[in-house]
Amino acid sequence: MIRKSLIAAAFLACASPAFAESPFPADAEVYFISPSDGDTVSSPVLVVFGLKGMGVAPAGTEKEKTGHHHLLIDVETPTGEDLQYGLPADDNFKHFGSGQTETMVELAPGRTPCS
């Protein structure tokens, strides 16, 4: 069965309170190595994160220009006040606080191509 689902990557920079006010570099970029944009995939899906201009570190690491990944599945990207208290950890918001850069994700059936 073909499955397609909306996934987005988020990167929480400077996760430690000590660096809460430190902005991430302007040239920092989080992206997917896999799957590629527009891919049609079958569940489970191997998701591999990429990062430029910063380093990946476990949550709570007190080192500037580091952070950890979050994977948002079938939700709008939160902004502003939504981020004031961090992101939840549930089926739609996957938290990679140990510094993981890849995971297998089970996706519910989504739309098929051309629909």
Side-chain angles (χ1 to χ4, degrees):
M1 177 180 295
I2 295 174
R3 298 170 191 257
K4 195 166 187 175
S5 189
L6 174 67
I7 54 179
F11 192 77
L12 184 59
C14 306
S16 167
F19 296 109
E21 298 300 317
S22 298
F24 55 87
D27 62 345
E29 179 182 339
V30 63
Y31 60 94
F32 290 108
I33 295 170
S34 177
S36 294
D37 189 25
D39 280 358
T40 298
V41 298
S42 295
S43 197
V45 178
L46 175 63
V47 177
V48 182
F49 304 109
L51 180 64
K52 293 180 185 174
M54 290 185 66
V56 176
T61 298
E62 294 188 19
K63 183 176 181 185
E64 289 189 56
K65 298 182 184 175
T66 64
H68 60 276
H69 292 282
H70 291 85
L71 182 64
L72 286 59
I73 304 170
D74 292 333
V75 296
E76 294 293 322
T77 303
T79 59
E81 287 188 26
D82 296 337
L83 295 174
Q84 183 177 358
Y85 301 105
L87 295 172
D90 58 27
D91 289 341
N92 297 99
F93 294 87
K94 304 289 184 181
H95 182 85
F96 299 94
S98 295
Q100 307 95 306
T101 58
E102 66 179 61
T103 189
M104 292 296 289
V105 177
E106 292 285 338
L107 295 176
R111 62 182 173 83
T112 58
C114 303
S115 65

